[in-house]
Amino acid sequence: MEQSQTPKVNTCPEFPFFNASYPDATCINGFLWDLDSYEDGGLTQGGEDPCPFCNTEEHIKHMLDPKEGYTRKYILSSIEKLKEIYGGK
């Protein structure tokens, strides 16, 4: 994210995403940023993965991989489980 951009107020929950067992992802402007990449007052890694809570359709398109079993139905089920555990829209 460019420093000149003003981050959108985060209304999505933090949750595990970047290979962690604890909440390590936060949503900024509809994309996920790695909370473990904090340096010099900002997050340094992320911004490529759409948020499953507020950017659901883009997240599904991004994650869709039927060869790996990531069908639309599977991804939507995963999002519902995240909502149950971490809250969210």
Side-chain angles (χ1 to χ4, degrees):
M1 184 170 79
E2 294 178 23
Q3 287 187 345
S4 62
Q5 290 179 319
T6 302
K8 178 181 164 189
V9 174
N10 181 11
T11 58
C12 301
E14 294 177 354
F15 65 99
F17 185 79
F18 295 102
N19 298 316
S21 59
Y22 53 87
D24 68 337
T26 192
C27 174
I28 300 173
N29 296 331
F31 290 86
L32 301 176
W33 287 81
D34 188 345
L35 290 169
D36 294 328
S37 70
Y38 191 81
E39 185 177 309
D40 295 327
L43 298 172
T44 60
Q45 294 181 348
E48 294 88 25
D49 298 295
C51 177
F53 296 98
C54 71
N55 200 357
T56 306
E57 286 304 315
E58 288 302 313
H59 177 79
I60 291 169
K61 289 178 194 175
H62 183 75
M63 298 298 292
L64 201 59
D65 187 351
K67 292 179 186 174
E68 295 294 324
Y70 297 137
T71 62
R72 180 178 180 82
K73 183 178 178 179
Y74 174 82
I75 296 165
L76 284 170
S77 174
S78 297
I79 292 169
E80 287 305 313
K81 287 178 188 173
L82 284 172
K83 288 178 181 179
E84 287 174 18
I85 296 169
Y86 298 98
K89 300 175 190 176

